[in-house]
Amino acid sequence: MKYYFIILVIFLSSCKKETNTTFDSTQPAEETSLSGETVFIQNNCAACHKTDQKIIGPSLQEIAKIYKSQNADMVAFLREEAEPIVDPTMYESMKINLQITKTMSDEELKSLEKYILGFAK
């Protein structure tokens, strides 16, 4: 039970929009009117997702690989309109952050999806 409380506290603290967060990307985001990397940084997604290693959430490379291989709709998941396919065991914890993604515009979500899918190997 303590574990879930700690996870909850981490997720809640990571939900703040911060513009001073830096993200060490190994792959530059493509230029769009709204950069997916900017959306990723501003919403503090890097608190749980790193490029090539699982910390709290799966790595961007793992997410991209699975979504590409299954031709799945990441935007639908971020809107809570599709089931989790990467790590369903973490879904209950992720629901807290989905409250943020559900408020994002279509452009923001599509840019974020494009950015993440760019990490597929």
Side-chain angles (χ1 to χ4, degrees), residues 37-97:
E37 182 177 25
T38 300
V39 174
F40 188 84
I41 292 168
Q42 286 179 343
N43 289 283
N44 206 21
C45 302
C48 298
H49 301 283
K50 299 296 179 203
T51 301
D52 58 355
Q53 64 181 342
K54 176 181 171 96
I55 50 171
I56 294 170
S59 72
L60 297 179
Q61 290 174 349
E62 181 181 4
I63 294 168
K65 177 182 173 187
I66 291 170
Y67 271 88
K68 275 195 171 184
S69 71
Q70 295 188 21
N71 198 26
D73 186 350
M74 189 182 306
V75 171
F77 171 71
L78 294 172
R79 288 185 180 133
E80 274 193 298
E81 297 171 353
E83 296 296 315
I85 61 172
V86 177
D87 188 355
T89 63
M90 293 298 295
Y91 183 60
E92 288 302 314
S93 299
M94 178 66 180
K95 278 185 174 183
I96 295 165
N97 292 324

Side-chain angles (χ1 to χ4, degrees), residues 4-5 8 18 38-39 60 62 77 85 104-105 108 110 121:
Y4 289 112
F5 179 73
L8 178 63
E18 297 179 14
T38 300
V39 174
L60 297 179
E62 181 181 4
F77 171 71
I85 61 172
M104 291 180 183
S105 69
E108 288 173 310
K110 289 175 183 175
K121 288 189 170 193

